Amino acid sequence: MKTNNSLFKKIGIIIALLLFNISFSQNSTLSGTVTDATGAGIPGVNITIKNSDKATATDFDGKYAFTNLRNETVTIIATYIGYKTTEMNIQINGNAIQNISLVEDANVLDDVVVTGVVNPKTKIKSSVSITTLGTEQVTQSAPRSTAEIFRTIPGIRSESSGGEGNSNISVRGVPISSGGSKYLQLQEDGLPVLLFGDIAFATADIFTRFDGNIAKIEAIRGGSASTLSSNSPGGIINFISKTGKTEGGNISTSFGLDYGNFRTDLDYGSKIGDGLYFHVGGFYRTGEGVRKTGFNSNNGGQVKFNITKEFENGSITLYAKFLNDRAAAYMPMPVAVSGTNANPNWKSVDGYDATTGALQSIYLTHSVGLGPDGNVRREAVSNGMHPVSKSIGANVSFNLENNWKITDNIRFSSNSGGFISPFPAELASASTIANSFGAGSTLSYADNGAAFNNPNGLVARIHMFDTQLNNMGNFMNDLRLTKKFDKIGITAGLFKSMQNVSMSWLWNSYLQEVSDDNPRLINVNDAGGNSLSENGLYAYGTPAWGNLARNYDTQYNVSAPYVNISVDATENLSFEGGLRYDKGKVTGSFAGGVSTTYDINNDGEISAPEQNVFAIDNANPTAVNYDYDYYSYTLGANLLLASRQSVFARISRGASAKADRILFSGLDYLDGNKINALDFLTQAEIGFKQKFDNGYLYATAFHSKTDEQGGFEATSNSIIKNNYKSMGLELETAYNITANLDLRGSLTYTKAEITSGDNNGNQPRRQPKLMYSFLPTYKFMDNKNTLGLSFIGQTKAYAQDSNQLVMNGFVIVNGFVEVGIAKGLSLNVSGNNLFNALAITEAEEGSITENTVNFIRARSMTGRSLSMALSYKF
């Protein structure tokens, strides 16, 4: 017995020691901080211990911690979107500390795509051409407007010379026949900003702003865009908002070093409860802008907010936006052209620098006339593009039992505001302008009565584009139900939209000298000395264009059911197809103008301009009540050749419906079969995707055919109708040459051709054969500082479809340097168009008189501008 008791005691002591050792070994900890290249902590980084169920995320300061670990060697994995995944082995023995520095990743083919797809997929497994831009990539191109952000996206041609909005945006050689983004849709968080991208004076980019609320931008060309959104057969550009799942924020103040601008951005997001997150942010800016307008032409801001609640099987996000901003709209301006049509020499006019000048002036601060209700109305020219948007929406997504999933994205937006900017309807010598009012007429300055004596001798006939945006509000709802089988996914959806188009054209005509330094207004007297104008205004209306006083009050009610089927035929081969049916109901009215006599200035006398005041003819509206419908389809396949290599092919067909652009030509607006309400686009594409250890290559060959039935263009006062075809190649790449040097670039070759009408066989206007971008970035001094450049260019293009006058090719060189001052604090100095290139993007005239100096109207990119920003990430 004694021996047995002794044995039991020994066994007990051994067990106790083992339990003690086990207990001790499981009390070890591992902690540390995850930072970026600047040394700032990164919140929200996922940290896991390999081959275990232990996982955590970094906190507000980038710190993480594990407790109750055994003393052994473990492998931890740190992952975060936009950074390379980092693995490292760590010996745990007591309390271990391991800090981690994450490196930015150029390999974006593993990014999950959410735009233009029914189920999120990685890029390398999707059969669409898509580009993703993060906030740092946007900063690298030093944009001065939202439209300038798009210039580095392959296949996208963004004429960003008009200012913050009203830009012409096209894709893959598909034309810009009447302005805006007709075949390409701008979205915010998966829903269209406006149902139509080419509404005159209310383009979608006017109501869109890029700020710290944006997590990334996704842009797809062709592909499934035609079946997953209305009026977007060419592609979709989607602004995706931050959600607050990654705690932290940023405050940034920037100002122009050589131009008047001051802007402050602030955003912050955080977890506020179990599965509950929020994000809020916005900006406010004020200043003259990059061109000399003579007044505070940029003034306003935006606030956005969202809150997300995650459940066990889904989530709900509620979001809101308030935008009230003013930005100058830049119209075509005087440019001198000599040489020949095929080999022209473009330069600025004496006294007017096309890279910095503007037609706005302190001498023309208001436009006064009769409003849509027949009463006197006064509008400030400084309002420029003035969007006011109040939006509220929700995004709901739940996984149901038996592999069912339901999602609903819903939003209501109250949109209104205005658009006012001086447009040069004619540019001519003083004698030509004077004689247009009758032989012997004379010109004098309106401010002092002195005879006109501008050294360049040029006068501009100004049509003030004074457009009141009464109601551009809309309702959008995209409901989807998905069922997943073993290898098949079926999605059925219904898109519903109500888009209002209510606006009033209240235009006046002025005479103005050609100068880039507050041009003065000019009065005109007839041969008898009788005054034909008042303070530069010679007509309440636009008699040179047949007087375009107009009013629109229409509503577009669209229902679009659609179905999408995806099939994983094998582990590496997948197919996807979709069918969509859009049915639109258009109701309302539009009205033209009528002449009346009215004492506008209320001085008791009827002046010459007041004898013929054009106002909206509310007594004789044209009723609008018609239907339209069209089918869209897409079929694509993706073959994964290896884990890092794939090819895809796709064919698609869709349409873009017209809104106000056809409410001009006296058609039967009570019969949808008798109006040209639709334009069709068919595309085919073949793509290749290759991922490397330090980069990727993305190539897509495309072919498109456009059947366009015409639309009205206000600036040329004409209806443009053409068919087109194009073919080309898109290349996109990024590569980490070293740990410090990154390269990113794109190239698009397009051969486009007009296939109908008088210009059959010609190249579409403004379409270069080659567009490219090259963006190197270098980090130095322990990766705390960054130097970046961007080279964005294109080859020559024709001013008009007649293919006479050539617009020369150009390259815009931008750059920035960012210096880390302290943890989270950095100073950024950026320059746009550093070499002050005269880059012409459009011209109103299609030809010149060769071997002499011609003065034409054209829009150019802005010249060199420098800015500085101080930012703090917290």
Side-chain angles (χ1 to χ4, degrees):
M1 286 294 294
K2 206 169 186 182
T3 303
N4 290 338
N5 288 336
S6 176
L7 179 63
F8 286 139
K9 287 180 179 179
K10 291 179 179 178
I11 292 174
I13 291 171
I14 292 172
I15 292 174
L17 288 172
L18 288 173
L19 290 174
F20 176 78
N21 287 335
I22 292 173
S23 175
F24 180 81
S25 66
Q26 289 183 335
N27 278 331
S28 297
T29 64
L30 170 63
S31 61
T33 303
V34 181
T35 59
D36 60 14
T38 67
I42 307 176
V45 178
N46 294 314
I47 311 291
T48 60
I49 296 180
K50 196 172 183 178
N51 300 323
S52 78
D53 58 357
K54 292 184 179 295
T56 188
T58 56
D59 65 11
F60 178 84
D61 296 315
K63 299 182 182 300
Y64 73 94
F66 291 99
T67 58
N68 297 321
L69 299 180
R70 295 182 179 181
N71 289 333
E72 60 181 349
T73 299
V74 300
T75 300
I76 62 171
I77 304 172
T79 59
Y80 190 63
I81 294 176
Y83 291 83
K84 292 181 180 180
T85 298
T86 299
E87 290 191 24
M88 54 178 58
N89 296 325
I90 302 171
Q91 177 65 47
I92 305 296
N93 187 7
N95 297 326
I97 297 176
Q98 180 62 59
N99 297 324
I100 306 170
S101 179
L102 294 186
V103 178
E104 293 178 19
D105 190 2
N107 297 299
V108 295
L109 286 181
D110 287 335
D111 284 357
V112 175
V113 176
V114 298
T115 301
V117 296
V118 292
N119 291 303
K121 285 186 175 182
T122 61
K123 287 185 179 180
I124 203 164
K125 292 183 179 181
S126 64
S127 55
V128 294
S129 297
I130 187 160
T131 297
T132 302
L133 296 178
T135 54
E136 292 192 2
Q137 292 170 313
V138 170
T139 300
Q140 187 177 355
S141 61
R144 293 291 182 250
S145 68
T146 299
E148 287 194 6
I149 297 171
F150 309 148
R151 297 181 302 178
T152 60
I153 301 174
I156 301 294
R157 179 166 58 92
S158 178
E159 296 177 4
S160 54
S161 53
E164 187 66 34
N166 197 39
S167 302
N168 298 323
I169 307 170
S170 67
V171 57
R172 290 180 171 175
V174 178
I176 302 173
S177 291
S178 53
S181 56
K182 179 175 180 55
Y183 301 98
L184 183 95
Q185 191 180 86
L186 298 187
Q187 294 185 350
E188 288 184 320
D189 295 314
L191 286 177
V193 176
L194 297 176
L195 185 61
F196 307 94
D198 66 335
I199 300 173
F201 307 107
T203 54
D205 63 330
I206 290 179
F207 288 90
T208 307
R209 294 291 183 272
F210 180 88
D211 60 15
N213 292 291
I214 304 301
K216 63 179 179 177
I217 298 173
E218 288 185 349
I220 70 170
R221 288 85 66 194
S224 54
S226 59
T227 58
L228 293 178
S229 195
S230 297
N231 303 324
S232 59
I236 298 171
I237 298 178
N238 187 17
F239 289 74
I240 300 173
S241 299
K242 297 175 182 177
T243 60
K245 291 185 179 180
T246 300
E247 184 180 7
N250 179 74
I251 181 170
S252 175
T253 296
S254 62
F255 55 91
L257 294 175
D258 57 356
Y259 65 97
N261 186 73
F262 183 89
R263 170 169 169 155
T264 294
D265 289 69
L266 174 64
D267 76 279
Y268 177 72
S270 176
K271 180 178 180 180
I272 53 177
D274 185 18
L276 189 63
Y277 309 88
F278 86 99
H279 188 272
V280 63
F283 75 91
Y284 185 84
R285 53 96 179 268
T286 185
E288 184 178 22
V290 291
R291 290 185 177 272
K292 297 183 294 185
T293 60
F295 46 74
N296 197 50
S297 46
N298 294 336
N299 189 20
Q302 174 176 264
V303 175
K304 294 175 70 176
F305 172 82
N306 63 61
I307 186 168
T308 300
K309 173 61 179 177
E310 291 184 334
F311 302 91
E312 184 177 350
N313 62 332
S315 65
I316 297 177
T317 298
L318 302 177
Y319 55 90
K321 178 181 90 169
F322 176 67
L323 168 68
N324 190 338
D325 193 23
R326 293 169 176 83
Y330 306 124
M331 293 290 107
M333 57 200 70
V335 179
V337 186
S338 57
T340 65
N341 282 292
N343 187 26
N345 178 28
W346 297 75
K347 66 176 185 177
S348 293
V349 175
D350 290 340
Y352 192 101
D353 189 333
T355 64
T356 60
L359 298 173
Q360 286 87 346
S361 170
I362 60 172
Y363 295 102
L364 182 52
T365 58
H366 290 83
S367 185
V368 182
L370 294 182
D373 57 359
N375 295 320
V376 175
R377 169 184 169 274
R378 180 182 179 92
E379 182 73 7
V381 178
S382 60
N383 283 339
M385 293 177 284
H386 181 200
V388 179
S389 181
K390 306 169 187 175
S391 298
I392 186 170
N395 194 321
V396 180
S397 179
F398 282 96
N399 295 312
L400 310 179
E401 58 185 14
N402 298 322
N403 291 322
W404 285 93
K405 181 180 181 180
I406 185 170
T407 62
D408 193 22
N409 200 356
I410 182 172
R411 188 190 67 220
F412 171 76
S413 296
S414 174
N415 300 321
S416 60
F419 183 106
I420 182 169
S421 183
F423 178 85
E426 183 183 3
L427 182 67
S429 66
S431 59
T432 299
I433 294 291
N435 289 333
S436 69
F437 290 88
S441 296
T442 58
L443 304 180
S444 60
Y445 287 109
D447 61 323
N448 59 15
F452 173 81
N453 63 353
N454 191 309
N456 60 37
L458 296 176
V459 175
R461 187 189 304 273
I462 296 296
H463 287 174
M464 184 63 71
F465 283 172
D466 184 0
T467 303
Q468 183 174 303
L469 305 179
N470 305 310
N471 182 3
M472 310 304 296
N474 57 53
F475 169 79
M476 308 279 182
N477 191 88
D478 194 357
L479 175 66
R480 297 178 183 179
L481 188 63
T482 299
K483 170 68 174 176
K484 293 199 71 176
F485 300 92
D486 183 23
K487 294 185 177 181
I488 299 175
I490 301 176
T491 296
L494 176 63
F495 174 77
K496 182 67 180 178
S497 178
M498 300 281 289
Q499 175 69 61
N500 294 300
V501 178
S502 176
M503 60 179 169
S504 305
W505 294 16
L506 310 165
W507 301 358
N508 291 337
S509 298
Y510 303 82
L511 295 181
Q512 182 176 277
E513 69 174 343
V514 172
S515 170
D516 63 7
D517 185 16
N518 285 311
R520 291 181 288 174
L521 295 172
I522 297 171
N523 280 331
V524 56
N525 286 18
D526 64 16
N530 300 306
S531 176
L532 301 180
S533 64
E534 288 184 314
N535 195 33
L537 182 146
Y538 71 86
Y540 290 101
T542 53
W545 285 356
N547 286 303
L548 290 177
R550 301 187 65 80
N551 192 82
Y552 299 94
D553 283 302
T554 49
Q555 186 177 74
Y556 298 80
N557 187 338
V558 173
S559 299
Y562 59 92
V563 63
N564 191 91
I565 300 176
S566 61
V567 179
D568 294 325
T570 68
E571 185 177 345
N572 296 328
L573 178 63
S574 62
F575 296 93
E576 183 186 16
L579 182 67
R580 184 185 185 95
Y581 174 67
D582 277 76
K583 182 173 180 59
K585 176 69 175 178
V586 186
T587 58
S589 65
F590 68 96
V594 63
S595 176
T596 186
T597 299
Y598 200 103
D599 185 9
I600 297 291
N601 60 14
N602 198 30
D603 65 353
E605 298 180 3
I606 300 298
S607 64
E610 292 172 339
Q611 296 173 15
N612 189 25
V613 177
F614 253 76
I616 294 170
D617 188 6
N618 291 311
N620 297 288
T622 297
V624 176
N625 189 356
Y626 68 88
D627 299 330
Y628 68 84
D629 60 54
Y630 65 89
Y631 287 93
S632 303
Y633 66 82
T634 187
L635 180 63
N638 188 85
L639 176 62
L640 195 64
L641 302 175
S643 62
R644 295 183 171 190
Q645 188 180 80
S646 68
V647 294
F648 73 91
R650 185 178 285 269
I651 185 170
S652 59
R653 182 179 187 267
S656 181
K658 294 187 178 73
D660 58 301
R661 297 283 184 177
I662 59 171
L663 303 183
F664 265 86
S665 54
L667 301 175
D668 184 356
Y669 293 103
L670 302 180
D671 188 343
N673 295 320
K674 295 183 179 180
I675 58 176
N676 52 334
L678 300 170
D679 298 320
F680 290 91
L681 173 62
T682 303
Q683 293 189 84
E685 53 192 306
I686 299 175
F688 171 79
K689 302 171 186 177
Q690 174 70 61
K691 179 178 178 180
F692 309 104
D693 287 339
N694 296 315
Y696 67 90
L697 175 66
Y698 194 4
T700 306
F702 60 86
H703 180 274
S704 68
K705 181 181 178 181
T706 308
D707 180 8
E708 193 170 75
Q709 300 182 31
F712 185 83
E713 181 183 58
T715 55
S716 64
N717 195 27
S718 63
I719 293 176
I720 298 176
K721 178 180 179 180
N722 283 316
N723 292 334
Y724 306 84
K725 68 178 181 181
S726 66
M727 60 183 297
L729 177 68
E730 298 171 355
L731 296 175
E732 180 183 358
T733 186
Y735 202 82
N736 300 124
I737 303 285
T738 67
N740 298 328
L741 179 61
D742 298 336
L743 298 178
R744 183 165 59 94
S746 68
L747 183 147
T748 305
Y749 171 79
T750 306
K751 183 180 180 182
E753 182 180 337
I754 301 171
T755 58
S756 66
D758 296 338
N759 296 309
N760 187 16
N762 285 356
Q763 186 174 319
R765 63 177 183 168
R766 309 177 191 169
Q767 178 61 55
K769 287 189 175 180
L770 191 65
M771 300 182 296
Y772 56 90
S773 66
F774 177 65
L775 301 93
T777 304
Y778 180 71
K779 295 183 181 298
F780 58 99
M781 295 181 65
D782 297 327
N783 289 329
K784 294 182 178 181
N785 308 304
T786 306
L787 174 66
L789 293 172
S790 67
F791 303 84
I792 301 170
Q794 67 177 55
T795 56
K796 69 178 184 180
Y798 289 108
Q800 296 295 335
D801 291 338
S802 59
N803 283 191
Q804 294 175 279
L805 179 60
V806 168
M807 299 187 300
N808 298 332
F810 59 83
V811 58
I812 301 294
V813 181
N814 307 318
F816 77 93
V817 60
E818 185 166 320
V819 179
I821 300 174
K823 182 180 179 181
L825 182 65
S826 63
L827 180 69
N828 181 297
V829 177
S830 67
N832 190 291
N833 196 0
L834 292 174
F835 294 99
N836 212 34
L838 179 59
I840 304 296
T841 64
E842 65 175 83
E844 299 300 310
E845 287 76 15
S847 64
I848 61 172
T849 301
E850 298 189 341
N851 300 316
T852 188
V853 177
N854 299 258
F855 300 103
I856 69 172
R857 300 160 297 160
R859 278 204 321 197
S860 77
M861 301 293 290
T862 55
R864 178 172 47 248
S865 61
L866 303 175
S867 65
M868 178 180 290
L870 185 66
S871 301
Y872 177 62
K873 294 181 180 179
F874 53 92

